[in-house]
Amino acid sequence: MAVRGLWRAKAFTAVAVLTLGVGMAGATVILALIQGVLLRPLPVRDQDRVVLAWKTLRSSGYAHYPFGDAEIEAVRESSRLIDAAAGVTTNGVSGWAFDD
């Protein structure tokens, strides 16, 4: 019975199938983006030793502001506990200096 009803209402059937197809494709794309961007492992060795640090700019109200080039370099040079330091500043990637 249901198949006969869908066969008679061809426009409704086409819209319903198209809507389901677009919905499934959208969900697949979103899940692929989440997997590829948020859930993938970081491209570093010893991920359990990675430290993420931010600074707060009280004058502008930013709670998570990246360190600058000079600050990343100062941490790399002065720290005895950190093997290497790198960062992403407002200008892009900075401070890639690894001691192997």
Side-chain angles (χ1 to χ4, degrees), residues 38-97:
L38 298 177
L39 300 178
R40 69 177 175 183
L42 295 173
V44 296
R45 292 181 309 226
D46 302 325
Q47 290 185 25
D48 57 331
R49 298 181 65 200
V50 174
V51 177
L52 177 63
W54 299 93
K55 67 180 180 179
T56 302
L57 288 182
R58 292 188 180 134
S59 63
S60 63
Y62 289 117
H64 292 107
Y65 195 78
F67 289 99
D69 295 340
E71 294 163 323
I72 294 170
E73 186 66 24
V75 167
R76 187 183 69 78
E77 290 178 358
S78 64
S79 178
R80 293 182 183 172
L81 297 176
I82 297 176
D83 294 334
V88 177
T89 68
T90 54
N91 298 322
V93 178
S94 171
W96 291 101

Side-chain angles (χ1 to χ4, degrees), residues 1-13:
M1 286 294 218
V3 174
R4 283 188 211 161
L6 290 175
W7 186 255
R8 286 184 193 142
K10 291 180 181 172
F12 172 77
T13 304

